[in-house]
Amino acid sequence: MPAPLDRIRVGSAPDSWGVWFPDDPVQVPWDRFLDEVSEAGYDWIELGPYGYLPTDPARLTDEITRRGLKVSAGTIFTGLHRGPDVWDSTWEHVSEVASLTQAMGAKHLVVIPSFWRDDKTAEILEPSELTGEQWGHLTKGMERLGHEVRERFGLDIVVHPHADTHIDTEAHVERFLDSTDADLVNLCLDTGHYAYCGGDSVKLIETYGERIGYLHLKQVDPEILADVVKNGVPFGPAVARGVMCEPPAGVPELGPVLQAAQKLDVDLFAIVEQDMYPCEPDKPLPIAARTRRFLRSCGA
């Protein structure tokens, strides 16, 4: 049995139950998600898409408390590379999510950049590479967001590199980190998305350890990924093919990732996120329970 990873707090998220949208007929109801995530052995959850779980703080507190759960973070989507004109609409969305996140006692806001390719229709929405001016908007906008979220809500933002967004590959992630203030902006390292985009999670943790503020645990199936890359398959259809797989069947190996994170000697959330949209309603619970047992075998 490996040494206990006592700085790592494991949780799961609606994503691991096939939930990508606030309301979608193919998704499991929110109360079933809460019942099953607790049954699978997790103590921590994320809010998921705003509006999926109840947004009234008193009601949500009651629902999660009676299941022995706590909230680690909320999630927002942003398009800050588009410049100052999008700030007001961005802040309106951020304020809703951050207010509920704060009310639930969480300390993190996971920030996902907007997609350049639609994850449902695969429509190309804008170029996949940013101009220098857009990089400036993105980095300065994230720093402003980090400052405002901390001042207004007492939360830290952690930016999530994500497939089919402008912060995806090792080069883009490093450029983003090198261009932003560590006091205002840190990273939510999603091991699956980073591997999907060709990155090495252990190397990133060892190189930019002080910037790792949060983890999402996920694996990719290398064979499916190779076909996805070869044929330029968009992220949504790739997920439907099963590119994100149950550990320990895929890459990266999660044991070494967790050990590298433990060596940072800071408390970190490690939230399981196995993209499975869409999926059969009875599929997530057994996978979630097996994944929790696997992570315990890694010491987490």
Side-chain angles (χ1 to χ4, degrees):
M1 186 77 180
L5 303 172
D6 58 356
R7 304 306 293 267
I8 307 296
R9 291 169 287 183
V10 172
S12 192
D15 185 53
S16 296
W17 267 255
V19 175
W20 276 11
F21 303 99
D23 185 32
D24 189 300
V26 306
Q27 296 176 170
V28 297
W30 64 266
D31 51 348
R32 178 171 178 176
F33 159 69
L34 290 179
D35 288 342
E36 292 189 351
V37 73
S38 175
E39 183 182 341
Y42 297 93
D43 300 321
W44 295 91
I45 61 165
E46 290 183 356
L47 295 176
Y50 182 76
Y52 174 65
L53 295 177
T55 56
D56 174 66
R59 185 181 181 199
L60 184 54
T61 298
D62 176 64
E63 294 287 354
I64 67 167
T65 300
R66 62 191 183 84
R67 293 172 172 90
L69 298 169
K70 294 167 284 189
V71 174
S72 62
T75 301
I76 59 168
F77 288 84
T78 59
L80 294 172
H81 67 285
R82 298 183 185 121
D85 289 350
V86 302
W87 177 262
D88 288 346
S89 59
T90 300
W91 186 252
E92 185 178 350
H93 167 56
V94 169
S95 297
E96 279 187 327
V97 181
S99 178
L100 182 59
T101 303
Q102 178 191 41
M104 301 315 295
K107 298 297 183 186
H108 294 90
L109 203 58
V110 177
V111 182
I112 300 178
S114 57
F115 288 70
W116 56 262
R117 177 164 57 182
D118 189 278
D119 61 342
K120 231 179 176 181
T121 68
E123 177 191 357
I124 302 293
L125 305 173
E126 55 188 308
S128 61
E129 290 286 338
L130 296 178
T131 65
E133 181 183 31
Q134 288 174 319
W135 269 108
H137 289 320
L138 175 63
T139 55
K140 295 304 174 193
M142 286 294 189
E143 288 177 337
R144 181 183 179 187
L145 187 66
H147 174 77
E148 294 291 338
V149 165
R150 185 176 294 162
E151 288 294 308
R152 307 275 192 97
F153 299 101
L155 306 176
D156 290 329
I157 69 166
V158 283
V159 178
H160 182 321
H162 197 292
D164 286 2
T165 77
H166 296 109
I167 307 176
D168 50 2
T169 61
E170 180 179 312
H172 287 164
V173 169
E174 292 186 352
R175 179 174 181 174
F176 178 76
L177 290 174
D178 291 342
S179 306
T180 48
D181 184 343
D183 289 335
L184 297 173
V185 179
N186 284 305
L187 210 66
C188 168
L189 169 58
D190 184 303
T191 61
H193 279 280
Y194 202 50
Y196 184 102
C197 298
D200 180 331
S201 289
V202 171
K203 178 185 171 187
L204 188 67
I205 293 169
E206 291 176 346
T207 308
Y208 286 91
E210 75 284 356
R211 302 299 299 275
I212 307 297
Y214 199 92
L215 295 172
H216 278 171
L217 301 181
K218 187 181 288 157
Q219 285 191 326
V220 294
D221 181 312
E223 290 188 10
I224 297 176
L225 180 63
D227 186 65
V228 162
V229 171
K230 179 183 175 184
N231 293 296
V233 178
F235 180 66
V239 168
R241 290 188 187 189
V243 72
M244 299 299 180
C245 62
E246 178 181 346
V251 296
E253 284 188 71
L254 294 181
V257 171
L258 291 166
Q259 289 160 17
Q262 171 76 13
K263 288 176 186 172
L264 298 176
D265 204 29
V266 295
D267 290 331
L268 282 175
F269 283 107
I271 304 299
V272 177
E273 267 208 336
Q274 185 181 339
D275 290 307
M276 290 198 294
Y277 178 88
C279 71
E280 294 299 319
D282 294 334
K283 187 177 178 184
L285 176 57
I287 292 175
R290 288 193 298 268
T291 300
R292 187 68 193 96
R293 289 195 294 273
F294 168 72
L295 293 172
R296 285 196 182 98
S297 77
C298 296

